[in-house]
Amino acid sequence: MLKSVFKSHSQFGLLCRNFSTIKEGPGLDHFIKESQTKRAAKERKRLPRWLQTSIPRGENYSRLKSDLRNLNLSTVCEEARCPNIGECWGGGETHTATATIMLMGDTCTRGCRFCSVKTAKNPGPLDPMEPYNTAEAVGKWGVDYVVLTSVDRDDIQDGGSSHLAECVKELKRQVPKILVEVLSPDFRGDMQAVETLATSGLEVFAHNLETVNRLQAFVRDPRANYRQSMNVLVKAKKVTETVLTKTSLMLGLGETDEEILGTLRDLRSNNVDVVTFGQYMQPTKRHLKVKEYLPPEKFKHWEDVANGMGFAYVASGPLVRSSYKAGEYFIKNIIEKRRGLENT
C-alpha cells in the first residue's frame, strides 16, 4: 500500500534508509559533509615508516580475542583501531598479553571527529553481567595491572558512573591484588559521578584532554571541553588524594609548541601525575585528517620537557596511546612505592 504512494522503488528505498538512520540515532557521518569526506581522502598524508606496524597474529592474540567474545566484552583496542593491538594482545617482548576492556558496550553517545567508535543516541541498556564477566576475563589472564575504559553514555542518569564503579569493585573482589586504571568519561561535568568512580577502589584515574584548548571544539564532541575535562581530573584527585591522575594528548592536529607547553603547565598546576603523548592517526577517510606526522625526536623532546616539569611519569612516542602497556610497568612501580611509604 505504502509503495503505491511513491512514483518509483528508488523513492521508497530512500525513505526506508532515512527512517533507519533516524531510528538508530546520529553517527559521525551526520557531522561531516560528503564533499568534505571526498576532499579529505585526496589530501590524506602518507604514513611514515615509524608508524607502520605488523598485522596482528599469534597464539596470545587469538586466545585473548576468543576470551573477550565468549564473555560479550568489547575492547577499545579493536573499536578505536589501535595500531598497537598486535603487540599488546600478542604479548610483545614480555609475553604478557594485555587489553584495554571497553565497558558499557561498543557504542558511544558522542561523535568526536578523531574517534572510530560507533555512535548512537540511545545505545541500549547496560549489561548487568558486565562487572562479573570483566573480572572473570581479567582473572583468567593472570595479569596484575588492568586498564578499563568506556564509551560515553549521556543517555544514562549518572553517565554510567555507578556501573563503572561496580566493575572496579567486582574486579577487586575476584582479584584482590589487581591494580586498576580506569580511563573515565567526563560524565557531562557531573562531579558526583566523578566522585563515585574515583572512590571505587581504583589506583589510576585517567581522563583524556585529547588536545590543546584552541582545538577542542574542532576535535571533540560539542559536549566535551577543556575546562570540564580539567575539572574532572581535579575532582578525582581531591576526593582521593592517593589516586594517580593521568591524561593523554594527541599530537599532529595543528597544535603549536606554545599551546602544548601551556597545557602541560595547566596539568601540573592541577596536580595531574601522569601524561602521555601520541601521534594522531586518521582512522578512516571520514575522520579528521592529520595535519603533521611528528618525528620520534619531537616526542622525545616533549618527554624531556614534561619530565623536567615534575610529572611522576611520562610516556611519549608516535605509537603511544593513553592505555599503552609500555607505561603500565612504570606506573605499577609508582603505585607500589607509594603504598610502601604509606605503610612505613
Side-chain angles (χ1 to χ4, degrees):
M1 178 68 181
L2 185 60
K3 288 185 179 180
S4 64
V5 177
F6 298 93
K7 294 180 179 180
S8 68
H9 286 289
S10 61
Q11 286 181 328
F12 180 72
L14 180 60
L15 175 68
C16 292
R17 285 194 297 275
N18 288 339
F19 177 77
S20 176
T21 299
I22 293 169
K23 182 180 178 182
E24 293 174 3
L28 181 67
D29 296 354
H30 294 75
F31 299 94
I32 305 174
K33 294 180 181 178
E34 186 176 356
S35 60
Q36 291 177 314
T37 301
K38 291 179 179 178
R39 185 170 64 252
K42 294 180 181 179
E43 298 174 352
R44 292 177 76 181
K45 293 180 179 293
R46 190 176 184 84
L47 202 67
R49 55 178 175 75
W50 60 79
L51 286 172
Q52 296 171 12
T53 57
S54 302
I55 297 173
R57 64 186 66 176
E59 182 180 342
N60 277 345
Y61 175 85
S62 300
R63 176 181 59 82
L64 200 151
K65 186 168 185 175
S66 176
D67 286 347
L68 291 163
R69 294 297 84 81
N70 290 338
L71 292 168
N72 195 32
L73 295 173
S74 301
T75 69
V76 73
C77 319
E78 295 171 291
E79 300 301 329
R81 305 187 183 196
C82 181
N84 301 312
I85 188 170
E87 181 182 358
C88 292
W89 286 31
E93 295 178 359
T94 65
H95 306 292
T96 301
T98 59
T100 298
I101 296 176
M102 189 165 71
L103 303 172
M104 303 200 293
D106 63 357
T107 305
C108 188
T109 53
R110 299 192 184 178
C112 295
R113 298 185 68 197
F114 65 89
C115 182
S116 63
V117 173
K118 291 180 290 187
T119 63
K121 187 176 181 180
N122 294 293
L126 299 177
D127 178 4
M129 291 299 294
E130 190 169 56
Y132 180 84
N133 288 340
T134 300
E136 183 180 343
V138 174
K140 282 184 178 180
W141 299 337
V143 297
D144 53 9
Y145 190 105
V146 67
V147 181
L148 307 176
T149 187
S150 79
V151 292
D152 280 282
R153 293 299 302 264
D154 298 303
D155 58 315
I156 299 173
Q157 181 69 30
D158 67 350
S161 65
S162 57
H163 181 85
L164 295 177
E166 185 55 37
C167 288
V168 175
K169 291 173 183 176
E170 183 61 33
L171 256 174
K172 294 288 186 176
R173 279 193 286 267
Q174 291 196 36
V175 193
K177 294 184 179 180
I178 193 79
L179 300 177
V180 181
E181 173 180 331
V182 178
L183 178 55
S184 172
D186 61 21
F187 303 117
R188 305 182 304 274
D190 180 350
M191 292 301 138
Q192 183 55 57
V194 174
E195 182 171 348
T196 297
L197 179 56
T199 56
S200 64
L202 52 74
E203 278 76 27
V204 180
F205 185 102
H207 175 68
N208 290 343
L209 287 178
E210 308 294 5
T211 188
V212 299
N213 195 10
R214 176 177 60 87
L215 297 176
Q216 292 279 319
F218 180 63
V219 172
R220 303 174 77 187
D221 183 276
R223 286 163 286 189
N225 63 72
Y226 186 87
R227 180 47 51 193
Q228 180 169 275
S229 288
M230 194 69 75
N231 288 341
V232 166
L233 292 164
V234 170
K235 180 65 174 181
K237 176 70 76 176
K238 183 178 180 180
V239 297
T240 315
E241 292 184 2
T242 56
V243 163
L244 283 175
T245 48
K246 175 183 176 183
T247 198
S248 182
L249 294 170
M250 298 179 291
L251 303 185
L253 287 163
E255 67 286 333
T256 66
D257 286 358
E258 290 77 14
E259 288 173 324
I260 298 172
L261 188 59
T263 303
L264 291 176
R265 286 172 178 154
D266 287 346
L267 291 169
R268 283 310 300 134
S269 68
N270 286 299
N271 296 316
V272 175
D273 301 293
V274 179
V275 64
T276 70
F277 300 92
Q279 171 69 52
Y280 167 65
M281 295 170 68
Q282 186 180 13
T284 75
K285 64 183 181 181
R286 291 184 175 274
H287 290 79
L288 283 175
K289 67 179 183 179
V290 177
K291 293 286 187 181
E292 179 186 8
Y293 284 119
L294 281 69
E297 295 77 22
K298 190 67 173 180
F299 285 95
K300 181 63 170 64
H301 164 75
W302 287 117
E303 180 181 1
D304 292 341
V305 170
N307 277 323
M309 295 175 73
F311 285 94
Y313 175 68
V314 181
S316 182
L319 288 172
V320 167
R321 295 296 179 263
S322 58
S323 55
Y324 183 51
K325 68 173 188 172
E328 293 166 13
Y329 171 78
F330 297 99
I331 294 175
K332 175 175 173 286
N333 283 346
I334 293 170
I335 294 168
E336 291 178 344
K337 284 180 181 177
R338 286 191 175 185
R339 283 181 174 176
L341 289 173
E342 290 171 6
N343 294 331
T344 57

